[in-house]
Amino acid sequence: MSAALAAVILAAGQGTRMKSALPKVLHPVAGQPMLTHVVASARGAGAAPVVAVIGHGAEQVKAAFASAGVTFALQAEQLGTGHALQCAAPALAGFAGDLLLLCGDVPLLRAETLVNLLAHHHNQQAAVTVLTAELIDPRGYGRIIRGADGVERIVEEKDATPSERTVREINTGIYVFTAPLVFELLAGLTNDNAQGEYYLTDVLVAARAAGERVAALPVAQAEEAMGINDRVQLAEAGKELRARINEGHMRAGVTLIDPAATYIEPDVTIGADTVIHPGVHLRGKTVIGRDCEIEPGVIVTDCTLDDRVHVKAGSVLNGSTVGSDTDIGPMAHLRPGTVLAGENKIGNFVETKKAAIGKGSKASHLTYLGDAEIGAGVNVGCGTITCNYDGVNKHVTIIEDEVFVGSDVQFVAPVRIGKGSLIGAGSTITRDVPADALAITRAEQKVIEGWVSRKRNKTRKE
Ligand code: UD1
Ligand code: CA
């Protein structure tokens, strides 16, 4: 039986080097706040509860994670990493088991690495196990000082002697502690060091003094433990996370023509044999079916696309559902509440919003369909517009099955167009049209012969 597992994520620091009004842990990496990735790896390792220690920008962080099932502990003043963990103690009152300690700025950390760390902690029967990394350039990190019987202590760069600074094994800031023991050890910490802070790292020495084992596990890939301190590292982390996501899709049968230029967020799913061109962004909870083609520059957010959907270049799709065998774009704009039943064509410069469009219906060019219920087999001519807004309220346009709408028609909503009727080109439709009827609202055409040359002659004399 494995021990109970909780996680504490330290996220109270300011993140000064980000030079941002946004708290560091809220900066997105691959479309999601940094902290979301860390919470996901803690959960992936089986941790519950997950406690986030917040301070700088606490209200913003809380608001962003209100529905994430994270417990918050406030560290009003940042007195050091040891003090930060102490602030989480009330949230973990009565907890006995393994306590994972993570920082909120390590979005590349994998859940498997934490699982390995926990296994090592158990094998070593340790009270503290620290995840370490071998770095070519260890500057800025705490150094792991090993003695005859394992890890003796961790020394911060600012407190280290010149010879200690040559050590290349560093503290990633990720640990497993045995709780509640760790809280007893924390209570004895002092801030007698170069930074006047309560160092979490001093818990190692306290544990040894109490006769407990301290273990260390070097991480296989050092970049996993990379802490994000500035926007250069933020961009590097984004690149690495996208590469992982993209590799997963390619291995699952999705063609990415240029993975380095393809931006897919973590929660997106894509069916096999779908082809994604460069410059595509797939965001949020988007689901893409099989055998789809998504052309360059398309942005899809929170949409569901069924199989064999072809989205042509430069289209933007948001909060929409697209049935199978549908063609969209180029440069189409599907806004929230668009539901296409399938076998549709939504062509260039067509915008839809809150529009339910039946099977096989088409709007091929230059059209706005908002607050519309459109049946099956409807043809919407070029330049057609639903006039859905009267300046105060939105109104619905209903177009029943098999209606043929000529070019450049305006539907002044609310209005209903009966099944199979025909709307003449250039009409402004303000009243309901019954089934099977022709509706046309055109001024009669006038032709005045010779008018142009007469006008020209007149102008010359003057
Ligand atoms: C810490 C470690 C160092 C390690 C490094 C890894 C200590 C004393 N040192 O150093 O050995 O190599 O991390 O990145 O632990 N935080 C709080 N409250 C505080 C202070 C920090 O929540 O009072 C949070 C920060 O937001 C951050 C994390 O703890 O997420 C690490 O803090 P930071 O100040 O970056 O620690 P380092 O000095 O880098
Ligand atoms: Ca740091």
Side-chain angles (χ1 to χ4, degrees), residues 10-14 17 24 53 75 77-84 103-105 140-143 154-156 170-173 175 195 197-201 227 229:
L10 303 189
Q14 188 168 15
R17 282 168 285 174
K24 179 163 84 171
V53 178
Q75 186 193 25
E77 224 186 325
Q78 281 70 56
L79 304 179
T81 48
H83 175 252
C103 292
D105 61 359
Y141 288 96
R143 309 297 207 282
I154 297 173
V155 62
E156 293 307 294
I170 62 97
N171 171 22
T172 63
Y175 320 75
Q195 303 184 83
E197 289 184 359
Y198 294 91
Y199 287 169
L200 182 55
T201 45
N229 292 316

mmCIF file of all heavy atoms in Angstrom, residues 10-14 17 24 53 75 77-84 103-105 140-143 154-156 170-173 175 195 197-201 227 229, ligand 1:
data_model
loop_
_atom_site.group_PDB
_atom_site.id
_atom_site.type_symbol
_atom_site.label_atom_id
_atom_site.label_comp_id
_atom_site.label_asym_id
_atom_site.label_seq_id
_atom_site.Cartn_x
_atom_site.Cartn_y
_atom_site.Cartn_z
ATOM 1 N N LEU A 10 5.000 26.100 -3.961
ATOM 2 C CA LEU A 10 5.384 27.438 -3.514
ATOM 3 C C LEU A 10 5.216 28.425 -4.665
ATOM 4 O O LEU A 10 5.812 28.268 -5.729
ATOM 5 C CB LEU A 10 6.836 27.460 -3.029
ATOM 6 C CG LEU A 10 7.199 26.483 -1.910
ATOM 7 C CD1 LEU A 10 8.609 26.786 -1.390
ATOM 8 C CD2 LEU A 10 6.185 26.529 -0.763
ATOM 9 N N ALA A 11 4.383 29.423 -4.420
ATOM 10 C CA ALA A 11 4.084 30.379 -5.492
ATOM 11 C C ALA A 11 3.812 31.769 -4.930
ATOM 12 O O ALA A 11 3.004 32.511 -5.445
ATOM 13 C CB ALA A 11 2.876 29.891 -6.281
ATOM 14 N N ALA A 12 4.536 32.109 -3.848
ATOM 15 C CA ALA A 12 4.271 33.401 -3.203
ATOM 16 C C ALA A 12 5.239 34.489 -3.652
ATOM 17 O O ALA A 12 5.002 35.666 -3.414
ATOM 18 C CB ALA A 12 4.330 33.242 -1.682
ATOM 19 N N GLY A 13 6.327 34.073 -4.292
ATOM 20 C CA GLY A 13 7.365 35.040 -4.681
ATOM 21 C C GLY A 13 6.874 36.013 -5.734
ATOM 22 O O GLY A 13 5.857 35.783 -6.397
ATOM 23 N N GLN A 14 7.636 37.093 -5.899
ATOM 24 C CA GLN A 14 7.201 38.151 -6.796
ATOM 25 C C GLN A 14 7.515 37.864 -8.260
ATOM 26 O O GLN A 14 6.764 38.264 -9.151
ATOM 27 C CB GLN A 14 7.866 39.474 -6.386
ATOM 28 C CG GLN A 14 7.318 40.659 -7.159
ATOM 29 C CD GLN A 14 7.759 41.979 -6.570
ATOM 30 O OE1 GLN A 14 8.674 42.043 -5.765
ATOM 31 N NE2 GLN A 14 7.103 43.038 -6.967
ATOM 32 N N ARG A 17 12.029 39.302 -12.027
ATOM 33 C CA ARG A 17 12.683 39.347 -13.337
ATOM 34 C C ARG A 17 11.718 39.195 -14.521
ATOM 35 O O ARG A 17 12.092 39.411 -15.659
ATOM 36 C CB ARG A 17 13.784 38.268 -13.408
ATOM 37 C CG ARG A 17 15.034 38.678 -12.670
ATOM 38 C CD ARG A 17 15.990 37.528 -12.500
ATOM 39 N NE ARG A 17 15.540 36.605 -11.464
ATOM 40 C CZ ARG A 17 16.136 35.447 -11.197
ATOM 41 N NH1 ARG A 17 17.179 35.052 -11.902
ATOM 42 N NH2 ARG A 17 15.676 34.675 -10.234
ATOM 43 N N LYS A 24 3.975 35.794 -11.624
ATOM 44 C CA LYS A 24 4.768 34.909 -12.479
ATOM 45 C C LYS A 24 4.047 33.615 -12.827
ATOM 46 O O LYS A 24 4.029 33.210 -13.995
ATOM 47 C CB LYS A 24 6.108 34.601 -11.804
ATOM 48 C CG LYS A 24 6.983 33.667 -12.617
ATOM 49 C CD LYS A 24 8.426 33.694 -12.178
ATOM 50 C CE LYS A 24 8.713 32.781 -11.020
ATOM 51 N NZ LYS A 24 10.162 32.662 -10.757
ATOM 52 N N VAL A 53 0.918 27.812 -1.982
ATOM 53 C CA VAL A 53 1.269 28.907 -1.071
ATOM 54 C C VAL A 53 1.384 30.165 -1.919
ATOM 55 O O VAL A 53 2.208 30.235 -2.825
ATOM 56 C CB VAL A 53 2.594 28.628 -0.336
ATOM 57 C CG1 VAL A 53 2.955 29.803 0.577
ATOM 58 C CG2 VAL A 53 2.485 27.330 0.464
ATOM 59 N N GLN A 75 0.940 33.303 2.352
ATOM 60 C CA GLN A 75 2.191 33.730 2.984
ATOM 61 C C GLN A 75 2.258 35.244 2.779
ATOM 62 O O GLN A 75 2.678 35.714 1.727
ATOM 63 C CB GLN A 75 3.395 33.044 2.335
ATOM 64 C CG GLN A 75 4.700 33.351 3.054
ATOM 65 C CD GLN A 75 5.929 32.946 2.262
ATOM 66 O OE1 GLN A 75 5.913 32.847 1.035
ATOM 67 N NE2 GLN A 75 7.030 32.711 2.962
ATOM 68 N N GLU A 77 4.029 37.645 4.015
ATOM 69 C CA GLU A 77 5.350 38.249 3.855
ATOM 70 C C GLU A 77 6.300 37.136 3.425
ATOM 71 O O GLU A 77 6.288 36.056 4.029
ATOM 72 C CB GLU A 77 5.798 38.781 5.215
ATOM 73 C CG GLU A 77 6.407 40.147 5.183
ATOM 74 C CD GLU A 77 6.945 40.529 6.567
ATOM 75 O OE1 GLU A 77 6.315 40.127 7.581
ATOM 76 O OE2 GLU A 77 7.985 41.177 6.629
ATOM 77 N N GLN A 78 7.133 37.367 2.414
ATOM 78 C CA GLN A 78 7.986 36.303 1.898
ATOM 79 C C GLN A 78 9.298 36.228 2.686
ATOM 80 O O GLN A 78 10.258 36.920 2.391
ATOM 81 C CB GLN A 78 8.254 36.491 0.396
ATOM 82 C CG GLN A 78 7.082 36.021 -0.459
ATOM 83 C CD GLN A 78 5.855 36.914 -0.341
ATOM 84 O OE1 GLN A 78 5.939 38.098 -0.584
ATOM 85 N NE2 GLN A 78 4.719 36.348 0.052
ATOM 86 N N LEU A 79 9.270 35.380 3.706
ATOM 87 C CA LEU A 79 10.429 35.278 4.604
ATOM 88 C C LEU A 79 11.322 34.104 4.251
ATOM 89 O O LEU A 79 12.185 33.722 5.024
ATOM 90 C CB LEU A 79 9.943 35.159 6.053
ATOM 91 C CG LEU A 79 9.020 36.286 6.539
ATOM 92 C CD1 LEU A 79 8.577 36.041 7.977
ATOM 93 C CD2 LEU A 79 9.719 37.647 6.426
ATOM 94 N N GLY A 80 11.097 33.490 3.093
ATOM 95 C CA GLY A 80 11.935 32.376 2.658
ATOM 96 C C GLY A 80 11.141 31.107 2.403
ATOM 97 O O GLY A 80 9.987 30.982 2.795
ATOM 98 N N THR A 81 11.804 30.162 1.714
ATOM 99 C CA THR A 81 11.114 28.936 1.296
ATOM 100 C C THR A 81 10.674 28.076 2.487
ATOM 101 O O THR A 81 9.628 27.425 2.428
ATOM 102 C CB THR A 81 12.012 28.107 0.363
ATOM 103 O OG1 THR A 81 13.318 28.002 0.964
ATOM 104 C CG2 THR A 81 12.153 28.760 -0.999
ATOM 105 N N GLY A 82 11.494 28.101 3.578
ATOM 106 C CA GLY A 82 11.136 27.319 4.767
ATOM 107 C C GLY A 82 9.879 27.884 5.407
ATOM 108 O O GLY A 82 8.949 27.145 5.758
ATOM 109 N N HIS A 83 9.837 29.196 5.509
ATOM 110 C CA HIS A 83 8.659 29.874 6.064
ATOM 111 C C HIS A 83 7.434 29.623 5.184
ATOM 112 O O HIS A 83 6.318 29.429 5.678
ATOM 113 C CB HIS A 83 8.952 31.380 6.179
ATOM 114 C CG HIS A 83 7.790 32.191 6.623
ATOM 115 N ND1 HIS A 83 7.105 33.023 5.777
ATOM 116 C CD2 HIS A 83 7.171 32.265 7.834
ATOM 117 C CE1 HIS A 83 6.114 33.592 6.450
ATOM 118 N NE2 HIS A 83 6.136 33.159 7.697
ATOM 119 N N ALA A 84 7.660 29.581 3.864
ATOM 120 C CA ALA A 84 6.551 29.348 2.933
ATOM 121 C C ALA A 84 5.885 27.992 3.205
ATOM 122 O O ALA A 84 4.662 27.889 3.243
ATOM 123 C CB ALA A 84 7.036 29.423 1.483
ATOM 124 N N CYS A 103 7.839 23.955 -6.799
ATOM 125 C CA CYS A 103 7.731 25.394 -6.997
ATOM 126 C C CYS A 103 6.777 25.637 -8.155
ATOM 127 O O CYS A 103 6.665 24.813 -9.065
ATOM 128 C CB CYS A 103 9.097 26.014 -7.276
ATOM 129 S SG CYS A 103 10.151 25.923 -5.818
ATOM 130 N N GLY A 104 6.109 26.774 -8.098
ATOM 131 C CA GLY A 104 5.091 27.072 -9.113
ATOM 132 C C GLY A 104 5.665 27.416 -10.470
ATOM 133 O O GLY A 104 4.921 27.576 -11.436
ATOM 134 N N ASP A 105 6.986 27.524 -10.556
ATOM 135 C CA ASP A 105 7.583 27.994 -11.816
ATOM 136 C C ASP A 105 8.365 26.912 -12.565
ATOM 137 O O ASP A 105 9.293 27.215 -13.293
ATOM 138 C CB ASP A 105 8.469 29.222 -11.546
ATOM 139 C CG ASP A 105 9.622 28.919 -10.597
ATOM 140 O OD1 ASP A 105 9.727 27.763 -10.132
ATOM 141 O OD2 ASP A 105 10.428 29.833 -10.344
ATOM 142 N N GLY A 140 23.706 30.437 -9.314
ATOM 143 C CA GLY A 140 22.405 30.890 -8.819
ATOM 144 C C GLY A 140 21.656 29.833 -8.019
ATOM 145 O O GLY A 140 20.722 30.164 -7.295
ATOM 146 N N TYR A 141 22.058 28.581 -8.153
ATOM 147 C CA TYR A 141 21.336 27.501 -7.472
ATOM 148 C C TYR A 141 22.017 27.116 -6.164
ATOM 149 O O TYR A 141 23.225 27.339 -5.989
ATOM 150 C CB TYR A 141 21.289 26.253 -8.351
ATOM 151 C CG TYR A 141 20.357 26.376 -9.535
ATOM 152 C CD1 TYR A 141 20.843 26.755 -10.784
ATOM 153 C CD2 TYR A 141 19.007 26.110 -9.402
ATOM 154 C CE1 TYR A 141 20.000 26.865 -11.882
ATOM 155 C CE2 TYR A 141 18.148 26.217 -10.483
ATOM 156 C CZ TYR A 141 18.646 26.593 -11.724
ATOM 157 O OH TYR A 141 17.814 26.695 -12.791
ATOM 158 N N GLY A 142 21.236 26.472 -5.302
ATOM 159 C CA GLY A 142 21.797 25.859 -4.103
ATOM 160 C C GLY A 142 22.586 24.619 -4.521
ATOM 161 O O GLY A 142 22.158 23.864 -5.393
ATOM 162 N N ARG A 143 23.790 24.410 -3.897
ATOM 163 C CA ARG A 143 24.633 23.270 -4.275
ATOM 164 C C ARG A 143 24.424 22.106 -3.292
ATOM 165 O O ARG A 143 24.266 22.325 -2.083
ATOM 166 C CB ARG A 143 26.111 23.659 -4.272
ATOM 167 C CG ARG A 143 26.445 24.898 -5.054
ATOM 168 C CD ARG A 143 26.158 24.755 -6.540
ATOM 169 N NE ARG A 143 27.045 25.632 -7.297
ATOM 170 C CZ ARG A 143 26.878 26.948 -7.427
ATOM 171 N NH1 ARG A 143 25.837 27.536 -6.871
ATOM 172 N NH2 ARG A 143 27.744 27.672 -8.110
ATOM 173 N N ILE A 154 22.549 21.432 1.881
ATOM 174 C CA ILE A 154 22.495 22.227 0.656
ATOM 175 C C ILE A 154 22.970 23.618 1.029
ATOM 176 O O ILE A 154 22.530 24.173 2.046
ATOM 177 C CB ILE A 154 21.055 22.283 0.096
ATOM 178 C CG1 ILE A 154 20.582 20.876 -0.285
ATOM 179 C CG2 ILE A 154 20.985 23.232 -1.103
ATOM 180 C CD1 ILE A 154 19.120 20.804 -0.691
ATOM 181 N N VAL A 155 23.877 24.154 0.217
ATOM 182 C CA VAL A 155 24.353 25.505 0.525
ATOM 183 C C VAL A 155 23.936 26.441 -0.610
ATOM 184 O O VAL A 155 24.094 26.114 -1.789
ATOM 185 C CB VAL A 155 25.879 25.520 0.782
ATOM 186 C CG1 VAL A 155 26.672 25.080 -0.447
ATOM 187 C CG2 VAL A 155 26.335 26.910 1.228
ATOM 188 N N GLU A 156 23.364 27.571 -0.226
ATOM 189 C CA GLU A 156 22.949 28.565 -1.226
ATOM 190 C C GLU A 156 24.181 29.233 -1.816
ATOM 191 O O GLU A 156 25.189 29.401 -1.132
ATOM 192 C CB GLU A 156 22.038 29.615 -0.579
ATOM 193 C CG GLU A 156 20.704 29.061 -0.134
ATOM 194 C CD GLU A 156 19.980 28.336 -1.250
ATOM 195 O OE1 GLU A 156 19.589 28.984 -2.226
ATOM 196 O OE2 GLU A 156 19.833 27.097 -1.167
ATOM 197 N N ILE A 170 23.027 20.481 -8.341
ATOM 198 C CA ILE A 170 22.261 21.559 -7.713
ATOM 199 C C ILE A 170 20.918 21.057 -7.170
ATOM 200 O O ILE A 170 20.435 19.984 -7.539
ATOM 201 C CB ILE A 170 22.012 22.725 -8.702
ATOM 202 C CG1 ILE A 170 21.184 22.277 -9.917
ATOM 203 C CG2 ILE A 170 23.328 23.345 -9.150
ATOM 204 C CD1 ILE A 170 19.723 22.548 -9.851
ATOM 205 N N ASN A 171 20.347 21.868 -6.306
ATOM 206 C CA ASN A 171 19.020 21.612 -5.742
ATOM 207 C C ASN A 171 17.968 22.151 -6.717
ATOM 208 O O ASN A 171 17.948 23.344 -7.013
ATOM 209 C CB ASN A 171 18.926 22.355 -4.394
ATOM 210 C CG ASN A 171 17.527 22.352 -3.828
ATOM 211 O OD1 ASN A 171 16.708 21.500 -4.182
ATOM 212 N ND2 ASN A 171 17.254 23.298 -2.929
ATOM 213 N N THR A 172 17.107 21.269 -7.209
ATOM 214 C CA THR A 172 16.047 21.726 -8.125
ATOM 215 C C THR A 172 14.940 22.446 -7.370
ATOM 216 O O THR A 172 14.082 23.087 -7.990
ATOM 217 C CB THR A 172 15.401 20.533 -8.860
ATOM 218 O OG1 THR A 172 14.770 19.702 -7.879
ATOM 219 C CG2 THR A 172 16.417 19.747 -9.675
ATOM 220 N N GLY A 173 14.929 22.302 -6.039
ATOM 221 C CA GLY A 173 13.853 22.914 -5.259
ATOM 222 C C GLY A 173 12.622 22.014 -5.179
ATOM 223 O O GLY A 173 11.549 22.444 -4.758
ATOM 224 N N TYR A 175 11.184 18.353 -3.663
ATOM 225 C CA TYR A 175 11.497 17.392 -2.602
ATOM 226 C C TYR A 175 10.293 16.512 -2.283
ATOM 227 O O TYR A 175 9.155 16.860 -2.586
ATOM 228 C CB TYR A 175 11.837 18.077 -1.275
ATOM 229 C CG TYR A 175 12.661 19.321 -1.323
ATOM 230 C CD1 TYR A 175 12.098 20.538 -1.746
ATOM 231 C CD2 TYR A 175 13.988 19.318 -0.901
ATOM 232 C CE1 TYR A 175 12.859 21.704 -1.746
ATOM 233 C CE2 TYR A 175 14.749 20.481 -0.906
ATOM 234 C CZ TYR A 175 14.182 21.670 -1.330
ATOM 235 O OH TYR A 175 14.921 22.815 -1.334
ATOM 236 N N GLN A 195 20.925 35.830 3.324
ATOM 237 C CA GLN A 195 19.717 36.514 2.862
ATOM 238 C C GLN A 195 18.727 36.813 3.984
ATOM 239 O O GLN A 195 17.683 37.415 3.753
ATOM 240 C CB GLN A 195 19.026 35.675 1.776
ATOM 241 C CG GLN A 195 19.955 35.387 0.590
ATOM 242 C CD GLN A 195 19.271 34.642 -0.532
ATOM 243 O OE1 GLN A 195 18.605 35.253 -1.354
ATOM 244 N NE2 GLN A 195 19.426 33.332 -0.563
ATOM 245 N N GLU A 197 16.823 34.768 5.452
ATOM 246 C CA GLU A 197 15.573 34.050 5.157
ATOM 247 C C GLU A 197 15.532 32.721 5.906
ATOM 248 O O GLU A 197 16.570 32.186 6.298
ATOM 249 C CB GLU A 197 15.487 33.753 3.647
ATOM 250 C CG GLU A 197 15.251 34.979 2.792
ATOM 251 C CD GLU A 197 15.083 34.618 1.324
ATOM 252 O OE1 GLU A 197 15.163 33.426 0.978
ATOM 253 O OE2 GLU A 197 14.876 35.566 0.531
ATOM 254 N N TYR A 198 14.321 32.192 6.049
ATOM 255 C CA TYR A 198 14.171 30.832 6.562
ATOM 256 C C TYR A 198 14.284 29.881 5.381
ATOM 257 O O TYR A 198 13.403 29.851 4.528
ATOM 258 C CB TYR A 198 12.830 30.672 7.287
ATOM 259 C CG TYR A 198 12.768 31.523 8.542
ATOM 260 C CD1 TYR A 198 12.261 32.823 8.500
ATOM 261 C CD2 TYR A 198 13.268 31.033 9.747
ATOM 262 C CE1 TYR A 198 12.250 33.616 9.637
ATOM 263 C CE2 TYR A 198 13.260 31.830 10.894
ATOM 264 C CZ TYR A 198 12.751 33.116 10.834
ATOM 265 O OH TYR A 198 12.747 33.892 11.955
ATOM 266 N N TYR A 199 15.417 29.196 5.311
ATOM 267 C CA TYR A 199 15.706 28.317 4.174
ATOM 268 C C TYR A 199 15.080 26.938 4.373
ATOM 269 O O TYR A 199 15.380 26.256 5.359
ATOM 270 C CB TYR A 199 17.220 28.102 4.042
ATOM 271 C CG TYR A 199 18.048 29.256 3.519
ATOM 272 C CD1 TYR A 199 19.449 29.170 3.598
ATOM 273 C CD2 TYR A 199 17.484 30.385 2.936
ATOM 274 C CE1 TYR A 199 20.258 30.188 3.109
ATOM 275 C CE2 TYR A 199 18.293 31.407 2.451
ATOM 276 C CZ TYR A 199 19.680 31.312 2.542
ATOM 277 O OH TYR A 199 20.486 32.308 2.062
ATOM 278 N N LEU A 200 14.310 26.517 3.429
ATOM 279 C CA LEU A 200 13.759 25.161 3.460
ATOM 280 C C LEU A 200 14.883 24.127 3.438
ATOM 281 O O LEU A 200 14.774 23.043 4.020
ATOM 282 C CB LEU A 200 12.835 24.970 2.243
ATOM 283 C CG LEU A 200 12.113 23.651 2.113
ATOM 284 C CD1 LEU A 200 11.305 23.317 3.345
ATOM 285 C CD2 LEU A 200 11.189 23.696 0.897
ATOM 286 N N THR A 201 15.953 24.490 2.746
ATOM 287 C CA THR A 201 17.083 23.569 2.598
ATOM 288 C C THR A 201 17.700 23.187 3.943
ATOM 289 O O THR A 201 18.316 22.126 4.068
ATOM 290 C CB THR A 201 18.153 24.232 1.718
ATOM 291 O OG1 THR A 201 18.319 25.589 2.162
ATOM 292 C CG2 THR A 201 17.713 24.256 0.269
ATOM 293 N N GLY A 227 13.530 26.244 -13.679
ATOM 294 C CA GLY A 227 12.618 27.238 -13.098
ATOM 295 C C GLY A 227 12.564 28.437 -14.027
ATOM 296 O O GLY A 227 13.579 28.864 -14.554
ATOM 297 N N ASN A 229 12.373 32.178 -14.659
ATOM 298 C CA ASN A 229 12.603 33.436 -13.946
ATOM 299 C C ASN A 229 12.363 34.656 -14.804
ATOM 300 O O ASN A 229 12.056 35.717 -14.298
ATOM 301 C CB ASN A 229 14.028 33.474 -13.397
ATOM 302 C CG ASN A 229 14.226 32.450 -12.299
ATOM 303 O OD1 ASN A 229 13.385 32.302 -11.418
ATOM 304 N ND2 ASN A 229 15.306 31.712 -12.360
HETATM 305 C C1 UD1 B 1 15.660 27.930 -3.984
HETATM 306 C C2 UD1 B 1 16.517 27.008 -3.141
HETATM 307 C C3 UD1 B 1 17.772 26.631 -3.925
HETATM 308 C C4 UD1 B 1 17.366 25.983 -5.230
HETATM 309 C C5 UD1 B 1 16.414 26.880 -6.006
HETATM 310 C C6 UD1 B 1 15.848 26.137 -7.191
HETATM 311 C C7 UD1 B 1 16.153 27.668 -0.833
HETATM 312 C C8 UD1 B 1 16.722 28.374 0.338
HETATM 313 N N1 UD1 B 1 16.895 27.679 -1.921
HETATM 314 O O1 UD1 B 1 16.434 29.102 -4.189
HETATM 315 O O2 UD1 B 1 18.576 25.743 -3.161
HETATM 316 O O3 UD1 B 1 18.507 25.700 -6.002
HETATM 317 O O4 UD1 B 1 15.313 27.290 -5.205
HETATM 318 O O5 UD1 B 1 15.113 27.012 -8.006
HETATM 319 O O6 UD1 B 1 15.094 27.075 -0.744
HETATM 320 N N2 UD1 B 1 8.888 31.316 -2.422
HETATM 321 C C9 UD1 B 1 7.799 31.558 -1.636
HETATM 322 N N3 UD1 B 1 7.961 32.257 -0.484
HETATM 323 C C10 UD1 B 1 9.155 32.714 -0.094
HETATM 324 C C11 UD1 B 1 10.279 32.475 -0.902
HETATM 325 C C12 UD1 B 1 10.107 31.759 -2.072
HETATM 326 O O7 UD1 B 1 6.692 31.136 -1.964
HETATM 327 O O8 UD1 B 1 9.216 33.335 0.971
HETATM 328 C C13 UD1 B 1 8.711 30.544 -3.662
HETATM 329 C C14 UD1 B 1 8.986 31.346 -4.896
HETATM 330 O O9 UD1 B 1 7.813 31.943 -5.393
HETATM 331 C C15 UD1 B 1 9.510 30.296 -5.839
HETATM 332 C C16 UD1 B 1 10.174 29.275 -4.926
HETATM 333 O O10 UD1 B 1 9.631 29.497 -3.647
HETATM 334 O O11 UD1 B 1 8.468 29.616 -6.522
HETATM 335 C C17 UD1 B 1 11.676 29.399 -4.903
HETATM 336 O O12 UD1 B 1 12.008 30.677 -4.415
HETATM 337 P P1 UD1 B 1 13.277 31.465 -4.905
HETATM 338 O O13 UD1 B 1 13.345 32.754 -4.203
HETATM 339 O O14 UD1 B 1 13.316 31.473 -6.380
HETATM 340 O O15 UD1 B 1 14.415 30.520 -4.342
HETATM 341 P P2 UD1 B 1 15.905 30.516 -4.777
HETATM 342 O O16 UD1 B 1 16.622 31.579 -4.093
HETATM 343 O O17 UD1 B 1 15.987 30.458 -6.249
#
